[in-house]
Amino acid sequence: MDLATAAGVGGGGDAPLFKEALAWQAFSRTPVLAIVVTSYGEIWSGSEGGIIKAWPWDAIAKSLSLTSEGKDMASLLVGKAYIDLRNNATVGNMCLLPAADVKHMLVDHCRAKIWSITSMTFALWDARTRELLKVFGIDGQVDLARLEAPVMPEQFIEEEIKVKPTKKEKPQGSFTFFQKSRNALMGAADAVRRVATKGTFVEDNRRIEAVAQAMDGTIWSGCTNGSIIVWDGNGNKLQDIHYHSSSVQCIRALGERVWVGYASGTIQVMDVEGNLLAGWTGHSCPVINMAIGGSYIFTLAHHGGIRGWPLTSPSPLDDILRTELANRELSYTMIENIKVLVGTWNVAQEKASFESLRSWLGSALSDVGLVVVGLQEVEMGAGVLAMAAAKESVGLEGSANGQWWIDNIGKTLDEGISFHRVGSRQLAGLLIAAWASNDLKPHVGDVDAAAVPCGFGRAIGNKGGVGLRIRVYDRRICFVSNHFAAHQENVSRRNADFDHVYRTMSFNKPHGSTASATSVQLHKAASANGNQADEDIPELAEADMVVFLGDFNYRLDGITYDEARDMVSQRSFDWLRERDQLRAEMKAGNVFQGMREGPIRFPPTYKFQRNQPGLSGYDSGEKKRIPAWCDRILYRDSRPVSIAECSLDCPVVAAVTAYEACMDVTESDHKPVRCTFSVDIARVDELIRRQEFGKIIESNEKVRSLLQKSHIVPDTIVSTNNIILENQEDVILRISNDCETSKAAFEILCEGQSITKLDGTKYELPPRASFGFPLWLEVQPSVGLIEPGETMEIAVHHEDFFTKEEFVDGVQQNWWCEATRDMGAVLLVNVTSSASTETITHRINVRYCCLVPSATPPVTNAPSGAVSGSKNNQSNYLQRSDFANFGSSEVPNLCDVPKRSM
């Protein structure tokens, strides 16, 4: 990976640090995953395998001093000048750092420390000395042995399962399918456990996904299970916050507030004490990044959408804007209509001809925008279920048979020309797949998949459901293909299967999705403290539309085989429907609560003899199973009542336009069923809505007044604008917050530094990147929050002797002590509020007077207002009367200082 730096000057200047970007190769083979610039201008990077490297500022500055003709040489020199920090963490032959990928790095400017973070561990470093201070885990305990292992590959599972061949099976006899399945599954489970114990498989739903520092100096880390862990600057765990169950994706802080973005699209804002102030659904997909600018925090969603939110939220401004926009709703509401074709078929482990697929799906494609197909019994058998269970346990799915069906249905739909597959999911014999037309595809995204097994103790996929959640015009539509318990008498088990699927289905990225690739995983683990308000709400209940399809296996009651055949031949379907188990259970409220079904005007779809056309093909064997409508398609939309119109409050309204079975298809003992929906979707025209929002901002005086107030920075006072350091004593700089209502956030940067030569002339050194502090100067804390009416004390300290070093390929080549001379630096104190990045800046001149005799005349009189660190000075503090107000005439060149975003 190439590292290129074009950062601003440490003091927040607009000019780039380098006239020409300096680029070099950081790692020859391993990609860089995280990079930071320390308070002293060093560049630190973390990569795969736990590699951490640092490039000293002196090496970078030396390379930059070369002419433009020597740019290639400069890149070569700085590329080799890195420090391999693993050497600083090695005791004997043992490296104290885990060999896991360094996914995040964070600079603690408040204490001049660096945090390097893997998925499960933290390492804390001294930014000045590069010393490793501490390694600890998510639980806060020091654990040097915690390692993260790669996911187990599919081939390894198959090999493990094949290691010990099973004994030859006896002839069928009484050795039932269920007994064989149980034995095979136990063997598969043992194989998975063996691989797991070898350390090649680990599953943990509490991995670190995001990290940030709040303005009070605390470190916030977000995990995949939705928890947020707050640490102090020394790596001690302060609190564990858990307000949402979805994975934390990003964290940003300003002033006394912290914003958190989740994989569910939710945004929350908290104060620095961890109290939840507000939460809302910002996007229909994961919030992957956030940035602060002006008076807004901007959120980036996985689908590329960017939205801005006032930093003051929650506030009275929100209520005004919400009311005004609601009054203009009709102007930006658009109604889209799409045609959706849904098909279900229990294929009984058979494969269909092209003519059968055309009859089932191809004949109904006119004007269809979305096609969703669910299959049952794609493949069965003990071995298949065992392999599927083993794959599922390590996040793998799919089979050759499943892929055959997907490919051939795609050919029927003219995939690649007229339609594009947007997602699929397989669980043993259950399969669901979806295709979108060329016209609809740009409006389809965030396809998530899920699977819920219901067989053999809710663990095996011979029964259960597979689902797809698809965002269409920013509305979530879920499709679930199911296979419920068989046999006439198992009505309650079928009801329980539906309830289990509905309540436990949890979506994540599917195999085969053509949506943008993402590493986001939606973890729905239960909260440790159980304080989520939405924990008990099923994900399917939150969708705007849900379609259940499949072999539900509900039969006909109170009728004989011959009676049923007679009624079918007479097409007396209404009479038969009165004996339908599903209809009776829905009327009783036992299953599919709140869902609808189109009128059934086709014969029962089960059970038929294979390859026998017409109604004469019903089962006439020894068992003579009574014909039944096992294969069904049910749905619900957003309507609370059947007469509601489509609007933003009722965004999805669907109507069944066709519901039929393909009786001419004979490959299976079930007939395929299809249902066509006409779906109205209400969406927001974002362009018009933004225009209306702009009109409200311009015309509403109350809104304008509140926005102006949000830009006000708290009145703040500093104790001096000149500091003189002698020896190694701390000089105390005081910053006082004169505002009685708001906290003041501050950060201290170094704008530049100089060294006085032996002849008495000053030599200006190139400004460092980031906070820009020279190694001889310590300022702690350099960031923080000041309570209303309170004063913050800042320790300014001179480090008397510091060492310069030269490294080549991570190995120290030379070192020496820098000669002591008079040195100077200009500090900038930037103060902001919590509601805006508006900044008030104050300059402070810092000078170190060397006690070693030199050609430089000794300083006998300190500038007016200076604070001295000499032992002869009776006090390091100025009286209140000596304080200088920000913005006063005593502050030099204040108007020339560019404002800097925090």
Side-chain angles (χ1 to χ4, degrees):
M1 174 180 179
D2 285 334
L3 302 180
T5 303
V9 175
D14 294 328
L17 181 60
F18 308 142
K19 292 183 179 179
E20 296 184 9
L22 178 64
W24 65 92
Q25 193 73 16
F27 297 96
S28 57
R29 288 176 294 274
T30 54
V32 172
L33 303 178
I35 184 170
V36 293
V37 182
T38 73
S39 302
Y40 304 103
E42 291 190 347
I43 297 176
W44 288 37
S45 62
S47 76
E48 292 180 350
I51 300 174
I52 303 176
K53 294 184 178 181
W55 280 264
W57 170 254
D58 292 327
I60 299 172
K62 181 179 179 181
S63 298
L64 289 171
S65 65
L66 300 177
T67 62
S68 58
E69 290 77 11
K71 187 168 62 175
D72 292 338
M73 178 58 69
S75 297
L76 179 62
L77 290 176
V78 75
K80 287 181 169 293
Y82 69 86
I83 303 167
D84 187 347
L85 294 179
R86 289 177 302 180
N87 295 333
N88 294 17
T90 301
V91 179
N93 293 323
M94 179 182 177
C95 182
L96 303 180
L97 295 173
D101 298 346
V102 179
K103 294 188 174 182
H104 311 277
M105 299 192 79
L106 181 141
V107 180
D108 180 358
H109 293 292
C110 184
R111 303 169 189 85
K113 294 179 180 178
I114 306 293
W115 293 58
S116 61
I117 303 160
T118 71
S119 293
M120 299 292 290
T121 59
F122 300 86
L124 190 57
W125 306 77
D126 187 305
R128 177 192 296 273
T129 65
R130 312 182 195 102
E131 176 188 358
L132 178 63
L133 305 176
K134 186 178 182 181
V135 179
F136 54 99
I138 290 181
D139 55 3
Q141 299 298 316
V142 176
D143 185 359
L144 304 180
R146 184 188 295 271
L147 301 177
E148 289 132 351
V151 174
M152 177 169 52
E154 178 178 357
Q155 294 84 352
F156 195 90
I157 301 172
E158 294 176 350
E159 290 175 1
E160 276 289 320
I161 294 175
K162 295 175 183 177
V163 167
K164 294 184 178 180
T166 57
K167 296 180 180 179
K168 289 186 177 181
E169 298 179 356
K170 297 179 180 179
Q172 291 292 324
S174 60
F175 197 69
T176 66
F177 162 80
F178 300 104
Q179 290 171 318
K180 290 188 292 182
S181 298
R182 180 180 180 276
N183 292 343
L185 292 170
M186 290 178 65
D190 288 340
V192 173
R193 279 194 295 270
R194 286 197 302 274
V195 176
T197 55
K198 292 177 182 177
T200 58
F201 166 65
V202 65
E203 182 178 359
D204 196 315
N205 67 346
R206 204 185 188 201
R207 291 176 175 268
I208 304 163
E209 286 292 324
V211 64
Q213 184 175 29
M215 289 299 295
D216 66 346
T218 56
I219 309 298
W220 291 49
S221 59
C223 304
T224 49
N225 70 339
S227 65
I228 299 169
I229 307 172
V230 182
W231 313 84
D232 68 11
N234 296 318
N236 300 312
K237 188 174 182 179
L238 299 178
Q239 61 176 321
D240 198 328
I241 305 169
H242 208 156
Y243 293 123
H244 195 58
S245 57
S246 183
S247 173
V248 175
Q249 294 300 294
C250 48
I251 304 174
R252 287 293 179 272
L254 177 68
E256 56 185 310
R257 293 190 170 190
V258 179
W259 287 262
V260 182
Y262 293 91
S264 63
T266 296
I267 301 167
Q268 291 181 340
V269 57
M270 309 170 196
D271 60 23
V272 291
E273 284 79 28
N275 301 310
L276 181 64
L277 303 178
W280 63 92
T281 300
H283 299 272
S284 59
C285 63
V287 181
I288 60 175
N289 208 345
M290 295 188 289
I292 294 174
S295 299
Y296 295 90
I297 180 166
F298 297 93
T299 55
L300 172 64
H302 177 251
H303 56 56
I306 299 175
R307 289 179 174 173
W309 316 91
L311 290 173
T312 55
S313 296
S315 72
L317 179 62
D318 300 332
D319 298 330
I320 298 174
L321 292 174
R322 190 179 298 111
T323 301
E324 291 291 329
L325 283 172
N327 293 336
R328 306 177 186 217
E329 183 176 293
L330 290 178
S331 65
Y332 54 79
T333 300
M334 302 293 165
I335 306 297
E336 305 288 347
N337 179 265
I338 62 172
K339 188 176 179 182
V340 180
L341 174 62
V342 178
T344 179
W345 191 8
N346 184 323
V347 299
Q349 305 181 71
E350 300 292 338
K351 293 183 178 179
S353 66
F354 180 75
E355 291 74 18
S356 294
L357 292 176
R358 287 289 299 173
S359 174
W360 175 33
L361 302 172
S363 61
L365 288 178
S366 177
D367 299 324
V368 168
L370 185 65
V371 178
V372 180
V373 175
L375 303 177
Q376 303 83 45
E377 295 190 13
V378 169
E379 52 190 0
M380 296 294 287
V384 169
L385 294 178
M387 179 60 68
K391 289 181 178 180
E392 287 286 331
S393 66
V394 291
L396 302 174
E397 52 110 350
S399 69
N401 280 353
Q403 193 60 48
W404 183 94
W405 277 100
I406 290 174
D407 293 342
N408 281 273
I409 292 174
K411 291 177 183 177
T412 305
L413 302 178
D414 205 10
E415 182 178 342
I417 299 176
S418 301
F419 285 86
H420 299 271
R421 181 161 59 94
V422 295
S424 64
R425 182 67 164 95
Q426 185 175 355
L427 173 67
L430 290 164
L431 175 67
I432 190 169
W435 290 260
S437 66
N438 288 336
D439 293 336
L440 186 63
K441 179 64 172 61
H443 307 288
V444 172
D446 300 318
V447 182
D448 301 324
V452 177
C454 288
F456 295 102
R458 306 295 191 208
I460 308 302
N462 62 312
K463 296 292 187 291
V466 287
L468 293 176
R469 181 176 61 189
I470 306 174
R471 181 177 56 84
V472 183
Y473 289 112
D474 282 329
R475 302 301 178 187
R476 290 173 294 183
I477 304 178
C478 295
F479 301 88
V480 186
S481 174
N482 306 270
H483 195 188
F484 295 158
H487 305 301
Q488 182 88 18
E489 67 279 4
N490 286 332
V491 176
S492 60
R493 284 187 57 189
R494 288 188 275 276
N495 294 349
D497 284 349
F498 164 78
D499 187 72
H500 182 64
V501 170
Y502 187 82
R503 292 184 180 278
T504 63
M505 182 159 279
S506 180
F507 291 91
N508 54 24
K509 278 293 164 191
H511 169 73
S513 171
T514 57
S516 302
T518 179
S519 61
V520 170
Q521 296 181 358
L522 301 180
H523 293 272
K524 301 297 292 183
S527 168
N529 52 16
N531 58 354
Q532 293 99 319
D534 62 347
E535 193 65 33
D536 295 329
I537 300 177
E539 290 191 18
L540 289 173
E542 297 176 332
D544 298 296
M545 180 177 177
V546 177
V547 179
F548 266 74
L549 56 141
D551 179 4
F552 300 157
N553 257 321
Y554 287 92
R555 310 302 172 90
L556 299 181
D557 277 335
I559 189 173
T560 67
Y561 172 81
D562 292 331
E563 288 174 335
R565 288 291 302 268
D566 289 342
M567 290 300 171
V568 170
S569 63
Q570 298 173 30
R571 302 189 70 82
S572 299
F573 300 144
D574 290 340
W575 188 89
L576 288 174
R577 280 274 284 145
E578 294 296 329
R579 286 147 182 81
D580 178 32
Q581 290 177 345
L582 179 55
R583 181 177 182 179
E585 293 300 306
M586 289 179 67
K587 280 186 176 181
N590 296 329
V591 72
F592 291 106
Q593 295 85 351
M595 305 194 77
R596 306 180 181 93
E597 184 178 20
I600 295 180
R601 299 191 178 95
F602 52 86
T605 57
Y606 174 84
K607 175 179 186 181
F608 287 86
Q609 298 179 62
R610 291 178 175 86
N611 302 315
Q612 289 197 20
L615 298 180
S616 61
Y618 280 111
D619 181 23
S620 58
E622 181 181 350
K623 293 184 179 180
K624 286 191 176 181
R625 290 185 176 87
I626 299 172
W629 285 292
C630 291
D631 309 283
R632 312 284 275 271
I633 299 173
L634 282 73
Y635 76 102
R636 74 144 179 87
D637 51 20
S638 301
R639 290 178 289 180
V641 294
S642 59
I643 59 173
E645 294 183 355
C646 187
S647 65
L648 293 182
D649 293 328
C650 181
V652 179
V653 174
V656 175
T657 58
Y659 190 26
E660 49 201 348
C662 300
M663 305 304 292
D664 59 330
V665 176
T666 63
E667 282 90 345
S668 171
D669 57 354
H670 290 252
K671 298 297 182 184
V673 175
R674 66 183 178 224
C675 184
T676 306
F677 296 92
S678 176
V679 182
D680 287 333
I681 300 177
R683 69 175 182 89
V684 173
D685 188 312
E686 294 293 348
L687 177 60
I688 298 177
R689 188 176 186 272
R690 284 194 293 269
Q691 291 172 348
E692 295 297 327
F693 183 84
K695 293 176 183 177
I696 296 171
I697 298 296
E698 293 176 359
S699 62
N700 192 303
E701 291 298 327
K702 192 169 184 180
V703 170
R704 292 171 61 86
S705 174
L706 289 172
L707 286 175
Q708 288 174 358
K709 289 181 180 178
S710 70
H711 286 259
I712 296 176
V713 180
D715 292 330
T716 319
I717 298 173
V718 295
S719 58
T720 184
N721 54 14
N722 286 281
I723 295 176
I724 295 178
L725 299 174
E726 294 179 8
N727 301 325
Q728 288 186 287
E729 293 185 355
D730 289 348
V731 172
I732 302 301
L733 170 69
R734 287 179 168 182
I735 306 175
S736 299
N737 182 5
D738 262 10
C739 180
E740 297 299 330
T741 57
S742 301
K743 294 180 181 180
F746 74 90
E747 66 175 7
I748 303 176
L749 316 175
C750 183
E751 185 183 38
Q753 59 171 318
S754 63
I755 294 179
T756 302
K757 296 182 179 180
L758 294 177
D759 59 4
T761 60
K762 280 189 176 182
Y763 171 65
E764 299 291 337
L765 296 176
R768 293 169 176 255
S770 185
F771 275 41
F773 290 118
L775 290 176
W776 57 267
L777 181 63
E778 284 187 353
V779 178
Q780 289 191 5
S782 56
V783 296
L785 280 176
I786 309 175
E787 296 288 336
E790 298 294 328
T791 298
M792 177 72 72
E793 294 185 348
I794 312 297
V796 183
H797 177 79
H798 170 257
E799 185 70 21
D800 199 7
F801 296 102
F802 65 95
T803 300
K804 283 195 172 183
E805 304 161 296
E806 282 188 354
F807 288 80
V808 177
D809 292 332
V811 180
Q812 188 182 65
Q813 301 295 314
N814 193 12
W815 67 273
W816 66 93
C817 290
E818 181 72 5
T820 55
R821 304 174 186 175
D822 286 0
M823 301 177 185
V826 178
L827 301 182
L828 301 182
V829 179
N830 292 330
V831 180
T832 64
S833 68
S834 294
S836 170
T837 54
E838 290 287 330
T839 304
I840 290 180
T841 304
H842 181 69
R843 274 194 177 93
I844 299 176
N845 296 304
V846 178
R847 186 175 180 185
Y848 168 68
C849 295
C850 177
L851 299 182
V852 178
S854 67
T856 306
V859 178
T860 56
N861 295 312
S864 175
V867 177
S868 174
S870 171
K871 289 183 179 180
N872 296 326
N873 190 25
Q874 297 298 319
S875 174
N876 285 337
Y877 312 121
L878 291 185
Q879 300 299 317
R880 178 81 173 184
S881 60
D882 295 324
F883 285 9
N885 283 291
F886 276 117
S888 70
S889 59
E890 294 181 26
V891 181
N893 301 324
L894 178 60
C895 297
D896 297 334
V897 179
K899 295 180 179 179
R900 180 182 185 277
S901 176
M902 295 290 288

